[in-house]
Every structure is written in structure tokens, then in C-alpha cells.
Amino acid sequence: MPRLMAIILIFAVALIVAALTAWGSLAFWYRLPLPDAGRAIGACVFLAFGLLTVAALASRLRRRAILSFAVAFALVLFWWSSIKPEANAAWAPDVARQVTGRIDGNSLTLTDVRDFEWRSNSDFTERWTTRTYDVSKVRTVDLFMSYWAGPKIAHVIFSFGFEGGEQLAWSIEVRHKVGGGFSPLADLFKNDPLVVVAADERDVVGVRSNVRGEDVQIYRLRATPEQARNLLLEYVAEANALARTPQFYNSITTNCATTVAKLMRVAGDKVPFDWRLIVNGYLPDYAYDRGAVDTSMPLDRLREIAKIDVRARADGLSPDFSKAIRLGVPFPVVVAGP
């Protein structure tokens, strides 16, 4: 029995060392400040060291091997903790600026609200504006899902509606550099910072539906004006915090869906952990199960109505874009609390 326990323990340690070796090798590959050849050498050396450690677990040298690996990995973690996001770089134009907000009573002034005019992915007119909103007039909050890689993964956008029909959309995105792009694996390893974008729907939604051809869906959420206003103010707080202290985007722990869930918790809404917050293409299913969207019809039917592509292309990014894409989309009944 003791021998069996020893074998099980050695096997468990081997799995842990193998997992840490894989992580460390990828960290070296993605983040060592060296040319490709240097990064490859660093990754391979650490990989070989980890494999030798695993092999040594079956010998009398196991204790020395484990200690050596622990010291080496501690040094890797020390180096890793020293990597901080860049505050200034040659950012791609659409994520070049971080929105910030200033609140004075009910007056919210946002600096660097994006209002791009898109003709193609590479042909657009840049516009960054300063705008003032009356937060006492926030009435609704809607969820946009933009599917760009099949049904499992989507980009999440929240849009706040004001009395009078004005919409303000918020998008949590990867702040990539000119010529860079989104890589879910690379962004697990401190590849790009996070950025919060506030924008017109014609810009941040329209570029996805009309220019990139993504499958964009809109879900009107069951939220009181107070809940919508609290969530909006948390977006502003998150944007201001990022402007002061940049942080990295992470494909699992700090992405557009998990960050929204955190904001909603702070705003007072209970958002229990669910695997659909990670595999975020299923967020509409999650919202439907929690009664956060219209449930008077089957979800499949609601999903079909939520697709905006036909309505968006017919509108052609006109000033009435926000109104056009909502035609026929059901609004859930909001039940006031006691």
C-alpha cells in the first residue's frame, strides 16, 4: 500500500511539473524580449529542463530534481510578475484611445468617445469626441453578441439607452498594436493590454455587422433604469481605472464577458459563476435561463429575431441605425422591486 501511494504521489507531481513546464515554455516563447530565435531557444531550454525533471522523478534524484525545478519556476514567476502593460505604443487606430469619464451630479462627461465612419476594415474616418450625458435619463441596457468564430465564441457589447432614444455602446477589447491581431493563446500570456471603448452603435456595432460580416445579435435586457444606470457608472469607473493603471487582456480571466460579469456584480446584480461566462457564445442561453431576456418564446425563436444582419445592411449605417436594428426585437417586461 505505501508503494502504491508513492507511485500515485510521483505521478501527481509529474503532472504538475509537466503543466508548469508547458506554461513556462509558452511564457518564454510569447514574452521573452528577444528575437524569434532567442525566444525559441529559451522556450526549448525550459521545456527540456522540465522533461528532465519529470524523468528524474523515477530515480533517487527526485528530491534534488523537484527542488531545482521549484527554484527555477520561482525565478520564472518573479520575471513574469515584472512584466507590466505598456501605457504608450503604436496602437491600432480603433483602440488608440481609452475613454475616461467625469461625473458632476447627474452630468457625465466622457472624453474620447469613438465615432468612426467605416467604409472597410482598412478605410475609415477617425473621429474621437467629448460628450455629456444625463445619467438620470438612462432607461435601458441591451446586450449585443457578435459571433466571429462560430457559435462558441463572441464579442460582447453592452449598450445603454437614454430618454429620447440616444444609445451609448461599451466594448471591452484587446488593445493591439498596428499590424497586430487577436490571438486567444497569445493573450493568455500578457500579449496585449485591455481597453474600454465607448462608441456610437453605428461604429462599434456597425463595423461588425456591415463591414466585417459577423453574425451580430441584440438582446434587450430586463433591467430597471436604476440597474442600467449603476452598470453604466461601473463602466465609467472601470475605464478610469484602466486609464490610471493599464492591465493585460486575458482570454480566460479578463476578457469582454468576464469583465462585464464583474461589473454587473459590483453594480448590484447577482451573477453566479457559469461556464457560459467563459465560452461566451452561450451568454444568451445563460441570460434566458436567468430570465434576463424575453422568455415569452423559445430561445431559438428569440435568437432568430435577435439577428440584426438583414436590418443593419438595409439601413446602411444611417443616423437611424440604432432604431432600425431593434425593429421587432421583443423587450422583456421589467417588474419593479418592492
Side-chain angles (χ1 to χ4, degrees):
M1 192 63 163
R3 180 175 175 80
L4 177 61
M5 292 299 296
I7 292 173
I8 293 175
L9 181 59
I10 291 173
F11 182 72
V13 172
L15 288 179
I16 293 171
V17 171
L20 295 180
T21 298
W23 181 88
S25 299
L26 288 170
F28 280 140
W29 168 248
Y30 283 113
R31 295 303 296 156
L32 273 180
L34 297 172
D36 287 357
R39 291 188 291 113
I41 291 171
C44 288
V45 168
F46 191 78
L47 178 61
F49 178 64
L51 293 176
L52 288 174
T53 301
V54 171
L57 294 177
S59 71
R60 294 179 180 179
L61 299 174
R62 68 172 66 92
R63 290 185 179 180
R64 183 178 298 177
I66 292 173
L67 179 60
S68 298
F69 185 84
V71 171
F73 194 76
L75 293 174
V76 172
L77 289 180
F78 179 78
W79 160 71
W80 185 254
S81 66
S82 71
I83 303 174
K84 305 299 181 184
E86 294 180 78
N88 300 294
W91 307 119
D94 56 327
V95 289
R97 303 191 190 187
Q98 166 64 61
V99 65
T100 56
R102 178 172 51 85
I103 300 172
D104 183 8
N106 285 325
S107 179
L108 167 63
T109 300
L110 294 178
T111 302
D112 290 328
V113 177
R114 205 178 79 189
D115 181 21
F116 279 28
E117 181 182 341
W118 296 89
R119 291 173 290 276
S120 74
N121 247 345
S122 58
D123 181 17
F124 48 83
T125 300
E126 295 183 42
R127 281 194 298 265
W128 298 93
T129 63
T130 297
R131 299 183 185 180
T132 300
Y133 301 88
D134 185 343
V135 296
S136 70
K137 295 184 177 180
V138 178
R139 293 292 178 263
T140 62
V141 57
D142 298 326
L143 168 68
F144 284 95
M145 302 292 298
S146 187
Y147 293 86
W148 52 272
K152 296 180 181 179
I153 300 296
H155 183 70
V156 180
I157 298 171
F158 273 54
S159 184
F160 298 87
F162 292 79
E163 185 178 298
E166 187 176 11
Q167 296 287 149
L168 176 65
W170 291 75
S171 176
I172 296 174
E173 305 192 7
V174 178
R175 196 176 201 183
H176 58 90
K177 297 177 183 178
V178 173
F182 176 63
S183 170
L185 181 57
D187 283 321
L188 290 173
F189 294 93
K190 296 186 175 183
N191 193 57
D192 291 305
L194 195 69
V195 65
V196 177
V197 174
D200 275 359
E201 287 184 348
R202 283 191 304 165
D203 173 349
V204 74
V205 176
V207 69
R208 290 171 165 83
S209 61
N210 291 35
V211 175
R212 298 174 186 168
E214 298 178 9
D215 175 13
V216 182
Q217 302 170 14
I218 180 174
Y219 296 89
R220 315 218 67 181
L221 299 183
R222 180 177 281 113
T224 65
E226 181 182 9
Q227 289 171 323
R229 182 166 57 252
N230 288 344
L231 182 55
L232 170 59
L233 294 179
E234 289 306 323
Y235 263 108
V236 175
E238 182 77 4
N240 288 343
L242 271 180
R244 292 190 299 268
T245 307
Q247 63 174 293
F248 283 108
Y249 182 95
N250 185 285
S251 306
I252 294 177
T253 62
T254 314
N255 59 42
C256 60
T258 55
T259 304
V260 166
K262 179 183 71 173
L263 292 173
M264 291 179 71
R265 287 190 186 98
V266 174
D269 193 10
K270 295 180 180 179
V271 184
F273 178 77
D274 192 285
W275 64 271
R276 290 169 291 190
L277 294 175
I278 304 299
V279 189
N280 63 9
Y282 297 104
L283 274 178
D285 306 64
Y286 178 63
Y288 189 89
D289 289 345
R290 297 187 66 239
V293 296
D294 184 82
T295 55
S296 65
M297 64 183 73
L299 177 58
D300 288 345
R301 174 60 180 157
L302 179 63
R303 202 189 310 273
E304 284 303 312
I305 296 173
K307 294 177 181 290
I308 73 167
D309 55 345
V310 174
R311 299 189 295 271
R313 287 195 294 268
D315 175 81
L317 302 181
S318 81
D320 292 324
F321 180 80
S322 292
K323 183 178 179 180
I325 61 176
R326 286 172 170 79
L327 290 176
V329 179
F331 197 101
V333 176
V334 178
V335 180

